Amino acid sequence: MKTYKHLYTQIHSFQNLYGAYRKARKGGKRKHEPAAAFELELESNLIRLRDELRERTYCPGPYRHFYICERKRRLISAAPFRDRVVHHSLCSVIEPLFERRFIHDSYACRKGKGTHRAVDRAQEFARRYRYLLQCDVRQFFPSVDHAILRQLLARVIADPDVLWLCDRILESGANVHEDESEIQWFAGDDLLAALRPRGLPIGNQTSQFWANVYLDPLDQFIKRELKCRAYVRYCDDSLLFHDDKGPLWEWQAAIIERLADFRLQLHQERATVSRTHDGFPFLGFQVFPHYRRLRKENSKAYARRLRALAAAYQEGLVSFEQLQASVQAWVAHVSYAHSWRLRSRILGEITF
């Protein structure tokens, strides 16, 4: 496998850091106080970051933690804005080196991919095959083992300075899920296994990219060794398709064994074989071979959120533009399903 050296100067160059700043402020973050404060003294802040990285004195700041509830409660860890600039700067240099190695049908956090294309691909396979196996990794982000991830990164990156920066970012997010995750034990573990640094903060640009790096060996195993022709993965949710149930059950056992090499476990109660004709849940949709619907819990959750937004608008806490942007984004998303009546009902319930 080809490795790459002399990457670090690209990461801490002023030009690359400026481009990373522009990426970090996207999505309306420019209006937020941390981004605005960074922009107020943009040049000096970027020069300070450049010097810290170049001299290897860079130290990530503390995370801000909060929970969101979308089907299940998730802990989100937001890094300081200056650290998000560093994350983007790192990913802009090393991500292309791994991207060319990833399989085609991995859809999370990759250019030209995304949830809707993943659903399209899953539906395409559902029309061609009779059965599917759904796989969901148990507590994926809290379970990512730092030593294993470091080895996977070092297979491609031979620049010690880049690996030092990866280590700094990994250390800053170690065990952020400690209070809400349970220790998973594997064959051969001793009591020291509980002390292994693990976990990626949900919310980091690096975490999204490293999730693909960590699961790429599983993708390669499924495609090259199991010879699965119809496979789709979005983050830790995977679908395998076949015309017979037997191979799917055999693949399930093989995947469980392979995941143990990376200290990961399947939700075995969810890893079931079912008929594609009956439909299956995937990324917020109920997917059938020839149509799809929005899952009920997703529509109910947005209805609650829209009512809260409407109330906040009436009280002057949010602008009409913010309310309109939320509605437009939701409509664009659910338009990928057969949802005309649903949209009409939910939007018709809100009056101003």
Side-chain angles (χ1 to χ4, degrees):
M1 179 180 291
K2 183 178 180 181
T3 58
Y4 296 85
K5 302 179 181 179
H6 312 300
L7 301 170
Y8 195 58
T9 54
Q10 300 176 46
I11 292 171
H12 65 62
S13 72
F14 185 89
Q15 182 179 7
N16 196 60
L17 286 170
Y18 178 72
Y21 151 74
R22 291 181 62 87
K23 292 176 182 176
R25 73 178 188 177
K26 284 183 177 180
K29 296 183 180 67
R30 187 177 185 180
K31 300 177 182 178
H32 297 171
E33 184 178 345
F38 190 92
E39 186 175 6
L40 192 62
E41 299 183 19
L42 178 60
E43 185 174 359
S44 62
N45 283 325
L46 290 178
I47 290 174
R48 189 177 301 114
L49 263 184
R50 181 199 63 188
D51 293 344
E52 289 179 14
L53 290 169
R54 185 166 55 191
E55 297 165 10
R56 290 185 37 160
T57 59
Y58 166 73
C59 182
Y63 287 90
R64 178 175 60 88
H65 304 288
F66 58 93
Y67 286 92
I68 62 171
C69 294
E70 294 180 352
R71 285 196 298 162
K72 58 184 178 181
R73 192 167 181 254
R74 290 180 181 271
L75 174 67
I76 305 299
S77 301
F81 184 80
R82 74 189 303 268
D83 292 336
R84 296 203 292 271
V85 173
V86 174
H87 299 168
H88 279 282
S89 184
L90 171 65
C91 289
S92 68
V93 173
I94 68 172
E95 190 169 351
L97 310 180
F98 289 86
E99 174 66 29
R100 65 194 66 171
R101 292 169 164 77
F102 293 156
I103 67 168
H104 174 77
D105 283 321
S106 164
Y107 287 87
C109 306
R110 297 175 64 191
K111 291 182 180 179
K113 304 289 184 175
T115 56
H116 295 145
R117 293 199 177 186
V119 172
D120 287 343
R121 186 64 160 163
Q123 190 171 48
E124 175 189 338
F125 286 143
R127 287 195 289 266
R128 292 164 51 188
Y129 296 92
R130 297 171 59 200
Y131 300 101
L132 81 152
L133 167 67
Q134 292 188 269
C135 296
D136 173 20
V137 177
R138 185 167 172 257
Q139 292 189 322
F140 172 65
F141 280 98
S143 301
V144 170
D145 187 274
H146 289 191
I148 295 174
L149 175 58
R150 179 62 154 69
Q151 291 171 2
L152 294 173
L153 292 171
R155 288 181 184 178
V156 177
I157 301 169
D159 187 325
D161 291 325
V162 176
L163 293 175
W164 168 84
L165 180 57
C166 293
D167 288 338
R168 297 296 283 168
I169 296 172
L170 280 171
E171 290 165 5
S172 72
N175 302 319
V176 293
H177 305 276
E178 190 171 22
D179 294 337
E180 61 170 13
S181 64
E182 58 188 65
I183 300 295
Q184 298 177 16
W185 301 96
F186 297 86
D189 279 353
D190 55 23
L191 292 178
L192 293 177
L195 302 179
R196 294 175 68 100
R198 60 192 178 96
L200 294 177
I202 300 176
N204 276 6
Q205 177 72 18
T206 48
S207 297
Q208 297 170 356
F209 163 54
W210 284 338
N212 282 332
V213 173
Y214 204 82
L215 290 173
D216 180 61
L218 175 67
D219 296 339
Q220 304 296 341
F221 173 73
I222 291 173
K223 295 296 291 184
R224 297 176 185 275
E225 296 188 40
L226 299 185
K227 307 294 184 183
C228 178
R229 296 182 177 180
Y231 169 65
V232 178
R233 180 177 65 79
Y234 188 94
C235 197
D236 59 313
D237 292 326
S238 304
L239 304 175
L240 293 81
F241 296 83
H242 201 280
D243 274 329
D244 295 309
K245 290 183 179 181
L248 292 174
W249 287 118
E250 292 174 4
W251 290 348
Q252 183 211 52
I255 289 170
I256 291 171
E257 184 176 346
R258 180 60 173 156
L259 282 176
D261 295 337
F262 297 89
R263 302 189 65 82
L264 296 176
Q265 296 177 350
L266 278 187
H267 274 291
Q268 292 195 39
E269 67 277 9
R270 301 180 191 172
T272 58
V273 175
S274 59
R275 295 196 311 167
T276 54
H277 176 78
D278 296 332
F280 52 93
F282 189 51
L283 303 180
F285 296 94
Q286 189 70 19
V287 182
F288 297 85
H290 298 286
Y291 67 98
R292 63 189 79 154
R293 295 174 178 161
L294 194 69
R295 296 185 68 183
K296 288 184 179 180
E297 56 265 38
N298 293 62
S299 59
K300 290 179 179 178
Y302 185 74
R304 289 193 299 268
R305 189 158 66 248
L306 182 58
R307 286 193 293 269
L309 271 174
Y313 169 69
Q314 299 287 9
E315 296 175 10
L317 300 177
V318 300
S319 66
F320 181 76
E321 288 73 20
Q322 290 173 297
L323 179 63
Q324 186 180 42
S326 173
V327 171
Q328 289 177 339
W330 180 75
V331 168
H333 173 63
V334 301
S335 294
Y336 280 82
H338 291 73
S339 60
W340 172 253
R341 292 182 181 178
L342 174 68
R343 283 178 275 161
S344 300
R345 178 174 58 80
I346 290 179
L347 297 179
E349 291 174 352
I350 305 299
T351 57
F352 302 95

